[in-house]
Amino acid sequence: MRSVERRTWYIITNSVLGLWMLAAIAAVTAHRFLPHSTWLMVHVTMLGAVSTAILIWSQHFADTLTRRQAPGGRVSLGIRLGLHTLGAALVIAGILSDVMSVILAGALIVAAAALTHATTMILQLRGALASRFGPLVQFYTVSALWLVVGVGIGFWMSQLSADDPLRGRLFVAHVAVNLLGWVGTTVLGTVILFWPTVLHARMRPTDGSRSPLVLTVSMFGIVVVLAGAAADAPPLVAAGAVLWLAALGLVLVEGIRQIMDAARLSYAGLSIGAALCWLAVSVGFLAVGVGTSDGWSMAVDRLAWIVQPFIAGFAVQIVLGALSYLLPVIMGRPNARKVCETELDRAAVFRMATINIGIVAYLLPVPSVVKVLLSIVVLCVFIAFLVLAVRAVVVGLRKRKAEPAPAVNAPGVQLGVGAPQQKAKPRRAVSGQLVTAASVILLAVAGGIAIDPSAAGINTLGGTEVAETGHTTTIDVSVDGMRFVPDVLEVPAGDRLVVELSNTGTDVHDITFANGVSSERLAPGDGETVDVGVISEDMQGWCSVTGHRAMGMELSVVTVGAAAEGAHDHGHGQASDAGAAADLDFTLSPDAGFVPYDAELDPAPAADVHEITMPVTETEVEVAPGVTQTLWMFDGTAPGPVLRGSVGDVFDVTLVNNGTMGHSIDFHAGTLAPDGPMRTIMPGESLEYTFTATRAGIWMYHCSTMPMSSHIANGMFGAVIIDPPDLAPVDHEFVMVQSEFYLGEEGGPVDPDAVATQLPDIVAFNGYANQYRDVPLEVKAGDTVRFWVLDAGPNVSTSFHVVGGQFHTVWKEGDYSLKDGGSTGVGGSQALALAPAQGGFVELTFPEAGNYSFVSHIMSDAEKGATGIVHVTE
């Protein structure tokens, strides 16, 4: 019964690990669409999956090595595991939402869990019986204390701006302490005994005798790293990394000998062995990369190289390797364990080879498309482990039920004792799996080259034939405002062009070339190496972020020594899809179930402080029957939500950028210096915008990020209504915000070149062509109706008119031009004329039942969608 409880406990705790692994897979798969994508992938994997594995299995190993259960037993571990999971989730949520209090709470909880873990280990050691390998538990104690230090440095770093000179030094210290201290020290202590156990190798009397030296040298190495960061001395950081590498070397010396004694190589042994190699490579690069850096910014950039080998090569493989050995152990009974091992060892050589050859190929200077395909291949092999792990547990439990219970039945890891040996795979089977793995990687590389041959040096430009020189021209390109610097790249004909792009601007940018090569979208401060391919003739490059090319973000690649004939522009990159506008049919109606933008207004709230959160989203929506565009929207609608209040009210607005580029907001309803609240924020960031409504009107708000015309035309606008003090009650109030659409590619964003023509494809009230013609507004005869009207533009004026109606009250831009029929009581108005960013309201009474059209009396605009109907009943 006790063994059943223990087995269930291990399955439940490892399920938490499985959930973190699934989250890591999701983060990797969707990273291009997530804010802080690199940070998220690293921390979901390391702080989530890897740290959870360390907490679970270090405690289990400590119980085994000390021959004594930890104080508090499983309850204590469950609390630690729960605290760490909660803290890690809060840290991730806080970073994604940019809420510092959430980050702090998460960091404190993670640190508390680590400190409790260390304390538990110390108490367990004090009461333990003397054993040969008991002192290895000290590694787990020290590693947990390093995590506390690493969390503190990480939180300190999160308080600093990106350009703070201290940030780079803290980053290096944070990476070293967490990777070498928390994860690395745990692995050093575990591998000393666990490695020969996995290999089923014979233990010699001297094995593990160097463990005190290994722990001391590794600790001293990390202390030296911290001293180097504190003293502003990168070479000292390198010296500390070398010391830590020496500690790893002491472990590997014994490990290599144990490989020679191995009875067989399972997937667990192969994966752990490969992981240790990648650990050595990563630490070596840490020493060389930081030690030879010219400043901390360069050191930070170089450390980006070790992300893939450390996480995919070391951390993930060490966890999968350990689980491949430990999951069968949970089964307890020999036959159940054997079938579980068989499942986890399926295609072991192929999986190990595919992962590691794929990582090596990824780190080579191959085209970006090849890197994407290699990433997919390696990720699929990692996912295969989860499938095999679930299957292994299921078949193991089934076999266990059918197997007679042995006299002693308690699952546990017998460290240093080999399991029953299995026959080694035939050499032919091993070589076949190696060949298959190499073939898969070669296919991925070949597929990437086929997709993007120019990036691999295969000339696809056509025109003049130029012999390849075999040379590479590397040019640094930066960003100044809305310009590339330099904007003319001279390349000898036949040279390969490599662009080192640095986004030194204040917005998200990329670079796209006419041959199809493109960088990723880069946040301010980020950079990327772009292999453009072999250059045989002139071509253009530009930023593909909507509107940026129109503002001047172009450059020219000029070949030196090539014939002038044949040089031509190979594409604009953001050309308008003329067919999208040509296919418009304004007689069509939307599909059944269509719900229009709610035009009816509620009265102003009684509160005098309005707290609003406005997330920015980028979503493909329908703007006319059968016509979709990817709009950038405030709070999921275009126009954004209507805000309403009274003179003197305070509006506290939180803007959250959940988009893929920089956005901002400008409220005309408030008066304040625009420098701070109207600044552009990057994806994943947020800002607070507080203003007091001091004057009445219907005021526009909009994104003020350049090019402003494109951001407004693509849906980033809305209305704030501040009621005049003498506003009389009416039966109905409606709001009409007129805007324009300049259609680009179907389903894509606005065409900035079309915006510049000021000739819209669609003119609409409340963001959808003719929506109130197909779903009319409803009132009764004799009702007094007030229409609030705002012209959001960005280019076209409006002349709001109700067919068959006359306005007895007109209020425009802060004052009445006509009120209750004017001085004679019988005066009227037929239209409310507004320029872009102007607004007002009109009032009328419908005398009898019928359908009354309302339009922009700029009739060509009415024919492009600026129409609606008021259906008046008796």
Side-chain angles (χ1 to χ4, degrees), residues 391-644:
R391 180 176 169 82
V393 171
V394 171
V395 299
L397 291 175
R398 287 176 181 171
K399 190 70 174 178
R400 192 183 188 325
K401 289 181 180 179
E403 186 176 356
V408 178
N409 182 21
V413 181
Q414 297 181 24
L415 292 172
V417 179
Q421 297 182 8
Q422 299 181 16
K423 292 182 180 180
K425 293 181 182 294
R427 290 185 179 181
R428 184 178 299 174
V430 171
S431 61
Q433 292 189 43
L434 287 173
V435 171
T436 305
S439 300
V440 169
I441 298 303
L442 285 174
L443 284 173
V445 173
I449 292 174
I451 294 171
D452 189 6
S454 59
I458 302 174
N459 185 16
T460 60
L461 293 176
T464 306
E465 292 294 330
V466 176
E468 296 184 20
T469 64
H471 299 150
T472 298
T473 297
T474 302
I475 301 177
D476 293 331
V477 175
S478 59
V479 176
D480 182 10
M482 285 289 173
R483 295 289 185 273
F484 287 118
V485 181
D487 59 6
V488 176
L489 312 182
E490 293 188 348
V491 184
D495 271 19
R496 174 186 296 277
L497 172 61
V498 173
V499 171
E500 296 286 354
L501 177 63
S502 299
N503 185 0
T504 50
T506 58
D507 201 349
V508 172
H509 297 295
D510 66 11
I511 191 167
T512 299
F513 292 91
N515 64 354
V517 175
S518 179
S519 72
E520 294 188 2
R521 291 193 172 182
L522 304 175
D526 288 350
E528 183 178 339
T529 299
V530 184
D531 188 341
V532 184
V534 175
I535 305 301
S536 64
E537 60 181 354
D538 297 354
M539 66 174 172
Q540 295 294 305
W542 59 87
C543 178
S544 70
V545 177
T546 303
H548 288 194
R549 184 177 188 182
M551 294 185 66
M553 291 202 73
E554 294 182 302
L555 54 75
S556 300
V557 178
V558 178
T559 53
V560 179
E565 294 80 21
H568 57 279
D569 188 342
H570 288 267
H572 190 279
Q574 283 190 343
S576 173
D577 181 358
D583 292 341
L584 283 172
D585 184 351
F586 290 104
T587 65
L588 296 177
S589 297
D591 294 336
F594 170 76
V595 178
Y597 186 99
D598 188 1
E600 186 141 16
L601 284 171
D602 293 325
D608 55 8
V609 176
H610 309 266
E611 296 184 354
I612 306 106
T613 298
M614 281 198 181
V616 173
T617 56
E618 300 174 7
T619 309
E620 184 177 344
V621 299
E622 192 173 64
V623 297
V627 179
T628 62
Q629 291 282 274
T630 295
L631 299 186
W632 312 327
M633 299 180 288
F634 293 114
D635 203 17
T637 63
V642 177
L643 311 183
R644 192 170 191 181

Side-chain angles (χ1 to χ4, degrees), residues 151-160 166-167 170:
V151 168
I153 296 174
F155 182 76
W156 184 6
M157 187 171 60
S158 70
Q159 308 301 299
L160 304 178
L166 181 59
R167 187 179 177 89
L170 290 177

Side-chain angles (χ1 to χ4, degrees), residues 138-156:
Q138 295 172 356
F139 283 81
Y140 304 146
T141 302
V142 171
S143 68
L145 294 175
W146 280 129
L147 178 58
V148 176
V149 176
V151 168
I153 296 174
F155 182 76
W156 184 6

Side-chain angles (χ1 to χ4, degrees), residues 18 60 87 171 191 235 261 318 336 341 468 490 574 599 608 625 776:
H60 180 77
F171 178 84
V191 165
D261 294 341
I318 200 80
E341 286 177 342
E468 296 184 20
E490 293 188 348
Q574 283 190 343
D608 55 8

